């Protein structure tokens, strides 16, 4: 014990007190007195074991983004984020609490919180984190275009600047740039949740499997084509397509009133078509660039309700959705006529389920393919062009621009870069015919008398 009093691990007690006094009186902090290598080693080890109180992860818990931090905790991602913070700076694109509380679809949020969908929740959250420090002044300018960064989910987010000067990440606008700045990262506040395509497809797939396994599919009721009245339903094998043609099941117009198929609330509504139409419209909005199309379906017309009723009865449809740039070229006269928006959209709906792969294989094999549309009797022509699918004719053509925006087995949405119109029917030219003039028939003479008159006529005598 006497040895321990006189020395501390081989260092004399007066020397230890001298070093402690120097450190106490020194104006520099303790970490600056240490060598640089030891400082870096200390910080990284503390980050890997326990995060610093000045870390961006701690700031996420005590900020405007507590809803996001709760999802991070439920997704069991704290240790993963701590490891990434220990290696490099991170940038978090954090949705506001309002975007996760009131603006998020409750069914989609319920899907994320189910224990079996933990992988989808982790992918969604890591899609909002970039393993790199990106401040607001590092955003691309209007001339440089898009800037792509890889996220922790191995997907890419695209940064761009709008004409108004607002910074944008994918389809979300930055509402709080550089909201939280810390030594190991920063947080940008965004207006809405970013949803990667893999998570959206997983949500669609699981929802459809639940619907199909819950109800045995049946055929739609049969309609007498002469009277347009429902016949007694015949037994239809499970999984067979609807017996009733889709044109007879559409909502009747003012001049045509057949008996429609039962709606979603009827006994045969075995698919929730309204929910699926709502999902594909929300997917259009999240995808970005198709707001005009969604506005026409929901606000300007009742086509969303009609499409939902058709899908509820087991029909399948493919929607060729023009993007906002194409819709902006429509004139007021083209949309102001009664029923014009419906006729335009009807020409963009194919009563078949087609994907990019199926349409491209068809045009590669057959050259030109004519697809039926809901605007009878017009068809839309598809052909191969520049390694893609081109719809329509020369002047009014459109290319398949954003393939497979939404595919759930019954509704397929394909983005195109133009608005399609059916070819105008050639005006019928009226043939001008000369008026008929009645000519009195001359009395027929005998053959010999006619020859004799001709001979006398040659000599100047009249017969």
């Amino acid at each position: 014990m006497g040895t321990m009093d006189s020395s501390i691990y081989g260092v004399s007690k007066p020397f230890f007190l001298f070093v402690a006094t120097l450190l106490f009186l020194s104006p520099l902090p303790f970490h600056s007195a240490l060598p640089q290598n030891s400082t870096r080693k200390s910080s990284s080890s503390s980050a890997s074991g326990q995060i610093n109180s000045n870390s961006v992860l701690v700031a996420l818990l005590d900020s405007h983004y507590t809803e996001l931090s709760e999802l991070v905790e439920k997704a069991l991602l704290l240790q993963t984020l701590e490891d990434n913070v220990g290696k490099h700076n991170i940038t978090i694109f954090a949705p506001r609490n309002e975007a996760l509380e009131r603006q998020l679809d409750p069914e989609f949020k319920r899907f994320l919180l189910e224990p079996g969908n933990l992988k989808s929740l982790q992918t969604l959250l890591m899609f909002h984190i970039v393993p790199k420090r990106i401040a607001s002044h590092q955003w691309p300018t209007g001339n440089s275009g898009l800037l792509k960064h890889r996220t922790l989910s191995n997907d890419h987010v695209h940064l761009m600047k709008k004409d108004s000067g607002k910074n944008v990440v994918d389809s979300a606008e930055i509402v709080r740039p550089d909201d939280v700045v810390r030594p190991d990262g920063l947080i940008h506040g965004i207006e809405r949740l970013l949803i990667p395509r893999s998570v959206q497809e997983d949500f669609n797939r699981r929802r459809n499997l639940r619907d199909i396994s819950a109800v045995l599919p049946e055929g739609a009721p049969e309609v007498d084509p002469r009277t347009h009245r429902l016949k007694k339903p015949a037994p239809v094998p499970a999984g067979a397509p609807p017996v009733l043609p889709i044109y007879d099941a559409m909502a009747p117009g003012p001049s045509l009133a057949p008996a429609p198929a039962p709606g979603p609330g009827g006994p045969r509504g075995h698919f929730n078509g309204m929910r699926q139409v709502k999902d594909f419209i929300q997917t259009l909005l999240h995808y970005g660039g198709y707001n005009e199309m969604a506005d026409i379906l929901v606000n300007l017309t009742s086509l969303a309700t009609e499409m939902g009723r058709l899908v509820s009865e087991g029909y399948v449809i493919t929607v060729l959705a023009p993007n906002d740039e194409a819709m902006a070229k429509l004139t007021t006269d083209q949309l102001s006529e009664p029923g014009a928006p419906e006729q335009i959209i009807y020409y963009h709906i194919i009563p078949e389920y087609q994907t990019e792969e199926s349409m491209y294989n068809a045009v590669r094999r057959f050259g030109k393919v004519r697809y039926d549309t809901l605007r009878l009797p017009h068809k839309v022509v598809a052909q191969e062009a520049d390694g893609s699918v081109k719809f329509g004719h020369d002047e009014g053509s459109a290319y398949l621009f954003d393939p497979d925006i939404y595919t759930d087995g019954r509704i397929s949405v394909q983005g195109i870069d133009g608005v399609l119109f059916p070819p105008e029917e050639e005006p019928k030219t009226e043939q001008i015919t000369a008026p008929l003039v009645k000519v009195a028939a001359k009395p027929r003479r005998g053959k010999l008398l006619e020859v004799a008159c001709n001979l006398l006529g040659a000599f100047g005598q009249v017969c």
Side-chain angles (χ1 to χ4, degrees):
M1 294 295 293
T3 308
M4 289 293 294
D5 292 337
S6 60
S7 64
I8 300 176
Y9 296 104
V11 181
S12 62
K13 187 173 183 180
F15 179 77
F16 179 80
L17 293 176
F18 175 73
V19 173
T21 304
L22 286 179
L23 293 176
F24 180 78
L25 296 178
S26 175
L28 298 175
F30 176 71
H31 64 80
S32 63
L34 293 175
Q36 188 174 0
N37 293 337
S38 63
T39 305
R40 186 180 297 111
K41 183 177 180 181
S42 171
S43 63
S44 68
S45 62
S46 63
S48 60
Q50 184 178 3
I51 59 175
N52 191 358
S53 61
N54 199 29
S55 173
V56 68
L57 298 180
V58 177
L60 183 65
L61 301 174
D62 187 18
S63 62
H64 302 87
Y65 315 107
T66 53
E67 289 288 329
L68 180 66
S69 61
E70 289 182 8
L71 289 179
V72 170
E73 186 177 356
K74 292 177 181 178
L76 308 177
L77 286 177
L78 285 177
Q79 186 61 46
T80 303
L81 297 183
E82 289 177 12
D83 295 341
N84 281 275
V85 168
K87 297 176 183 177
H88 39 62
N89 275 209
I90 63 173
T91 299
I92 302 176
F93 300 106
R96 302 169 301 168
N97 286 340
E98 294 82 3
L100 296 179
E101 287 177 349
R102 294 189 291 269
Q103 299 176 7
L104 190 62
D105 186 3
E107 187 174 351
F108 183 68
K109 189 173 183 178
R110 195 180 310 116
F111 161 79
L112 294 176
L113 297 180
E114 290 180 0
N117 303 326
L118 179 62
K119 185 67 176 176
S120 297
L121 178 60
Q122 292 176 342
T123 303
L124 176 76
L125 295 175
M126 290 192 292
F127 185 68
H128 292 74
I129 303 175
V130 177
K132 182 180 179 181
R133 191 182 188 91
I134 310 173
S136 58
H137 67 272
Q138 296 175 318
W139 232 261
T141 60
N143 298 330
S144 58
L146 292 176
L147 189 62
K148 185 168 63 173
H149 287 284
R150 182 176 290 275
T151 65
L152 292 183
S153 64
N154 290 326
D155 293 316
H156 288 87
V157 291
H158 301 82
L159 311 183
M160 62 175 294
K161 186 180 290 290
K162 284 186 175 180
D163 296 336
S164 59
K166 292 284 187 178
N167 294 338
V168 177
V169 51
D170 277 359
S171 60
E173 186 176 303
I174 306 294
V175 293
R176 289 176 173 265
D178 300 331
D179 190 21
V180 177
V181 180
R182 293 292 185 269
D184 56 356
L186 50 86
I187 299 176
H188 298 294
I190 58 178
E191 61 176 348
R192 65 164 67 103
L193 189 71
L194 301 176
I195 303 178
R197 177 174 292 188
S198 58
V199 175
Q200 185 70 49
E201 291 176 351
D202 193 19
F203 172 58
N204 294 337
R205 190 182 311 112
R206 290 179 181 272
R207 182 199 62 236
N208 293 330
L209 289 176
R210 183 165 59 249
D211 287 347
I212 293 173
S213 61
V215 183
L216 183 64
E218 300 180 32
E222 187 178 359
V223 168
D224 190 345
R226 297 176 301 171
T227 62
H228 287 286
R229 296 194 177 186
L230 294 175
K231 289 183 177 180
K232 185 176 180 181
V236 179
V243 179
L244 177 66
I246 190 171
Y247 305 104
D248 288 338
M250 290 170 55
S255 61
L256 172 73
R268 292 181 176 272
H270 47 260
F271 294 126
N272 195 339
M274 297 301 178
R275 184 178 65 184
Q276 289 183 257
V277 171
K278 175 185 174 184
D279 287 342
F280 102 72
I281 292 176
Q282 286 184 344
T283 304
L284 280 179
L285 297 176
H286 284 304
Y287 194 88
Y290 293 89
N291 296 333
E292 296 294 331
M293 180 71 177
D295 186 57
I296 289 180
L297 292 175
V298 177
N299 299 323
L300 196 57
T301 67
S302 60
L303 289 175
T305 304
E306 186 173 341
M307 292 166 63
R309 189 173 59 82
L310 291 174
V311 176
S312 296
E313 293 303 324
Y315 301 104
V316 293
I317 56 176
T318 298
V319 181
L320 305 178
N323 57 19
D324 288 344
E325 295 182 5
M327 298 295 288
K329 298 178 183 178
L330 290 175
T331 62
T332 307
D333 296 337
Q334 291 174 321
L335 293 174
S336 60
E337 296 181 4
E342 288 87 349
Q343 293 301 319
I344 292 175
I345 302 302
Y346 279 148
Y347 191 62
H348 291 76
I349 300 178
I350 300 173
E352 304 174 20
Y353 184 79
Q354 297 288 341
T355 62
E356 179 202 16
E357 183 180 3
S358 64
M359 288 190 292
Y360 185 70
N361 290 338
V363 297
R364 282 287 303 272
R365 181 177 181 183
F366 301 108
K368 283 188 178 182
V369 180
R370 296 179 179 272
Y371 292 108
D372 290 327
T373 67
L374 294 189
R375 184 174 178 179
L376 291 174
H378 300 288
K379 299 185 178 184
V380 62
V381 179
Q383 57 184 327
E384 182 190 5
D386 302 328
S388 181
V389 182
K390 185 177 77 170
F391 301 96
H393 299 274
D394 296 332
E395 296 181 357
S397 61
Y399 284 86
L400 183 57
F401 191 68
D402 291 318
D404 297 339
I405 295 178
Y406 182 89
T407 53
D408 65 358
R410 288 186 285 276
I411 300 178
S412 172
V413 181
Q414 308 294 328
I416 57 178
D417 62 352
V419 180
L420 301 174
F421 290 94
E424 297 181 359
E425 297 181 0
E426 298 180 359
K428 297 180 180 179
T429 58
E430 297 181 357
Q431 296 181 357
I432 301 176
T433 57
L436 297 177
V437 179
K438 293 185 178 180
V439 180
K442 295 181 180 180
R444 180 173 179 79
R445 305 177 182 182
K447 192 69 174 174
L448 292 177
L449 181 60
E450 186 177 356
V451 173
C453 288
N454 290 337
L455 291 176
L456 292 175
F459 292 102
Q461 297 182 7
V462 180
C463 180

